[in-house]
Amino acid sequence: MQDQEKIITATNLTNCDKEPIHIIGHIQPHGALVVIDMKSYAVVNYSENLSSFLQTDNLSSFHSLSDLFPDDFIIQLKKELEANIILSTYTFEKGRENFLLIPHLSDDKVIIDVEKQEDKLPSFTFQQQLNNILSQIEKTTSLKETSQIATQLIKNIFGYNRVMLYRFDKDWNGEVIAETKDENLETWLGLRYPASDIPKPAREIFLKQGVRIISDVYYKPSPILSLDNSNLQPPINLTNSELRGVSPIHIEYLKNMKVNASLTTSIIVNGKLWGLITCHHYKAKTVDYFQRQSCKFLTQVFANQINLLDTKKYVSSSKQLETLRKKLMLQMQSVSKFKEALLNYQPNLKDFIDCGGVALVRKNKINVLGGTPLKKEIEILIREHLAKQKKSIYFTESLSSHFASAEAYTKTASGILAISLDANFKDFIIWFRPEIITTIEWGGNPEKNGYVKDGVTYLHPRKSFEKWSEKVAGSSKVWENSEIEAAAKLQENINTVLVKKQKEKIKLLNNKLKRVNKELETFSYSVSHDLRAPLRGIDGYARILKEHLNLEDDDYSTHALETIISSSKKMDVLIDDILSYSKIGRQDIRRIPVDLNAVVFEIINSSNLKINYPQTQIKAEKNLPKVFADSRMVTQVCANLITNAIKYSQNQKEPFVEIGYKEESKAYFVKDNGIGIDEKYIDKIFNVFTRLASADYEGSGIGLAIVKKSIDLHEGKIWVETKLNEGTTFFFNFGNA
């Protein structure tokens, strides 16, 4: 018992939200408690007041349930446990009094609460009352009206001095939104109470249990004992016990309020703790189990009505927003300019959601409407806060509490709702809500008070509950769920419209590209025919002049004619290369299995090595893997790389070219020991008309550009390893296909 008391009393300012009230170790004395093992049905624990509560002296040596309760109850309990169904209550008579047994599961044990059963209302009378209550609640049309009727009905039925309806905000502070009381009592309507008044452990139990009674704050606790007089290890979980003892902090709190007894029921909406109905009495007061269950039922009826009213409000708001959203969509589809569609017509973005102002941020341009921060401030807000959130939808009613710089413009933007329009979180629509300065009336100073003992500050409930006013600034009106969802739908619509317009632009560009390609084909044809014809004439007549004129003694004329013939030949090669380069990409890639061995063999044979390059040795690896690619482009790639390797190594003492395949890099290679490439030019070698070699080596500067373009079209890779004057190795593949 001493260990349990330590758990109860060691609650300080830093851990009050962790107070273990579910294992408090004692019960309230308006009932008694028995704990049995679920498997053996043996009694393991009991409350100290069990004997006096049942008014018998025959409990000094009990060991089983049959020593305590009727056999019918034990049979019923075993059947329900075996069937794994909800345990039922059981009423039995002892002496002149009726007792009620209320069993429930707790870990591997069954806890049985024992209470006295009061006289019940006749069933017909109670049913009439319920029908009347349901009818009254269903007719209500507002939260205020529904709440007030709920407190009136519960006060009329159960007779407490004061009944309050208490609603939680997002921070778990509570506000009294309805109250019915005796005439002599001061009103607490509209007062707020801090979250610490009902800390997290209490809220969690309210969510599970639903109803809680304290019959007398001055009660003498009845400790839970072990049958073998051992310590309670582990402590018994009393979460769902009707008789669970009360936290000493809460007892002191009620005493400070001059309250002697209380009844509290949970208002649960959509599975969440929405609020409480709290009944206070200024004398000791007990309400029996079935009356408490009736109160719980009535509270749930009220919760259903709240849910219904919220749903109606949500549907109504959603319909209005849906109408505006459709109009905005129509404007975006009809008006070519995105900004004008959303800002210059009615409705506009400011009309869409209730706000003070709105900003449309797109492509580094900020357009505003209504009351907003400065454009420079909006730019900083996006860069330093919104972009870092990485959220497509972001909203807050207190921006300055998350982003300190926003303190400068709380008057126009205490709250924001932002939707992102791009994946990089640079483009946004931001709705701004101005600051609302409100005065909150607290039921006493909400600040925690405590006393220091042994260096620890212990929680001490406040003693005064007189109205205490506080001005609250820096917050805006709350963003409703319907508004947030409407913004999300608008975001989806805008993205759809932007994608559609982007597709239309791409389509126009594709059509333009097709026209350009057609013109390029015409130009290529012109180059092929119109330029070649005069070029052949120049070459032909130059050769005729060389053959028919006697130029033996005219070295100048001879050199001039040879230059004309050589230039014509180079020009013809250049035209061929330009045509080859222009054709790549304008023809569909037809991937087929290509035998690289055959391609390499054909290129080497066509080079006339013995005649043109008698000193060059070529080593071609046998059994090169086949490649699945366009055979024409594969031949072009290999021909350019091999002929380049032969050409740029021909002046070495022992020129060689090696062709092979590297398994580890999954790449083919062409290696030579030629002139190499200066590393500073490596990034330029694949550009069109780039020639890094001297005039001693023939070429148009287009070959490597053709190679790169062909490999890119296959989604392959090409890279080079080279050292100036020591050689070059080109590695390449044709993608994974």
Side-chain angles (χ1 to χ4, degrees), residues 343-565:
L343 297 179
N344 294 3
Y345 293 85
Q346 297 294 330
N348 54 46
L349 287 175
K350 185 175 179 297
D351 302 323
F352 179 58
I353 288 180
D354 178 25
C355 65
V358 65
L360 172 61
V361 184
R362 189 162 181 262
K363 295 182 178 179
N364 297 320
K365 292 184 178 179
I366 300 175
N367 294 281
V368 298
L369 203 62
T372 70
L374 299 174
K375 290 184 179 181
K376 188 175 289 186
E377 291 171 331
I378 295 173
E379 183 183 336
I380 294 171
L381 169 64
I382 292 173
R383 185 178 66 249
E384 297 184 5
H385 185 63
L386 291 181
K388 293 179 180 179
Q389 304 306 309
K390 302 295 183 185
K391 293 180 179 179
S392 61
I393 300 175
Y394 175 87
F395 62 92
T396 176
E397 290 83 34
S398 181
L399 179 60
S400 59
S401 63
H402 304 286
F403 182 54
S405 298
E407 290 181 5
Y409 45 84
T410 54
K411 289 184 179 180
T412 55
S414 284
I416 66 167
L417 169 58
I419 56 175
S420 173
L421 302 181
D422 71 322
N424 296 320
F425 299 98
K426 291 182 178 179
D427 294 352
F428 284 90
I429 293 175
I430 311 172
W431 289 273
F432 300 96
R433 275 184 175 165
E435 176 183 50
I436 298 176
I437 300 176
T438 57
T439 300
I440 296 178
E441 305 289 352
W442 295 96
N445 189 332
E447 294 180 4
K448 292 180 179 179
N449 297 307
Y451 62 93
V452 178
K453 181 180 179 182
D454 299 328
V456 178
T457 304
Y458 291 91
L459 187 65
H460 187 77
R462 62 187 183 277
K463 295 183 178 181
S464 172
F465 293 89
E466 292 183 4
K467 187 182 294 185
W468 192 87
S469 299
E470 178 187 19
K471 281 193 175 182
V472 178
S475 294
S476 71
K477 178 184 173 184
V478 174
W479 300 101
E480 300 291 343
N481 288 336
S482 57
E483 294 172 324
I484 296 166
E485 291 176 13
K489 287 182 180 179
L490 181 64
Q491 177 190 46
E492 185 178 337
N493 294 152
I494 290 174
N495 288 334
T496 301
V497 170
L498 291 177
V499 168
K500 184 179 178 181
K501 288 186 176 182
Q502 193 67 29
K503 285 182 178 178
E504 290 173 355
K505 286 183 180 179
I506 292 171
K507 186 177 179 180
L508 290 172
L509 288 173
N510 281 336
N511 292 335
K512 187 176 181 180
L513 186 59
K514 286 178 182 178
R515 290 196 301 271
V516 171
N517 281 336
K518 192 68 178 176
E519 292 171 1
L520 182 60
E521 288 178 8
T522 303
F523 173 74
S524 298
Y525 180 83
S526 175
V527 169
S528 178
H529 292 79
D530 298 346
L531 290 183
R532 280 182 189 276
L535 186 62
R536 285 172 183 153
I538 293 169
D539 180 69
Y541 280 106
R543 292 179 187 277
I544 290 171
L545 285 173
K546 184 179 178 182
E547 291 176 3
H548 287 79
L549 296 177
N550 184 10
L551 301 174
E552 292 181 1
D553 298 327
D554 190 352
D555 292 339
Y556 177 79
S557 297
T558 300
H559 178 72
L561 287 172
E562 287 178 351
T563 300
I564 291 171
I565 293 169

Side-chain angles (χ1 to χ4, degrees), residues 44-112:
V44 290
N45 303 101
Y46 63 98
S47 61
E48 189 180 55
N49 69 335
L50 181 63
S51 177
S52 60
F53 189 78
L54 291 177
Q55 297 179 359
T56 178
D57 296 326
N58 299 327
L59 300 180
S60 56
S61 60
F62 66 87
H63 295 282
S64 66
L65 280 181
S66 57
D67 295 330
L68 297 171
F69 307 126
D71 291 338
D72 287 348
F73 167 69
I74 299 170
I75 294 170
Q76 170 187 298
L77 180 64
K78 288 183 177 181
K79 284 182 178 180
E80 291 174 345
L81 287 171
E82 290 171 1
N84 194 27
I85 60 177
I86 296 175
L87 304 182
S88 305
T89 58
Y90 182 87
T91 305
F92 72 99
E93 187 176 350
K94 188 175 181 63
R96 294 184 177 181
E97 293 190 288
N98 291 323
F99 291 91
L100 179 67
L101 304 180
I102 311 162
H104 69 271
L105 296 177
S106 177
D107 302 324
D108 59 345
K109 297 178 175 61
V110 177
I111 294 179
I112 304 170

Side-chain angles (χ1 to χ4, degrees), residues 142 230 276 302 519 602 704:
S142 69
S230 64
L276 302 171
F302 167 70
E519 292 171 1
E602 179 63 30
L704 286 179

Side-chain angles (χ1 to χ4, degrees), residues 295-342:
C295 186
K296 183 178 178 180
F297 169 75
L298 293 175
T299 304
Q300 191 54 51
V301 170
F302 167 70
N304 292 339
Q305 185 66 11
I306 290 177
N307 193 27
L308 180 62
L309 292 172
D310 283 346
T311 301
K312 286 181 178 179
K313 180 182 177 183
Y314 170 82
V315 169
S316 175
S317 175
S318 295
K319 282 183 178 179
Q320 293 177 5
L321 291 166
E322 182 71 6
T323 300
L324 291 172
R325 184 183 63 82
K326 287 180 178 179
K327 289 181 179 179
L328 283 172
M329 273 293 295
L330 184 61
Q331 288 170 194
M332 282 190 286
Q333 292 168 349
S334 306
V335 180
S336 59
K337 291 187 178 180
F338 181 74
K339 181 198 78 170
E340 291 181 2
L342 294 177

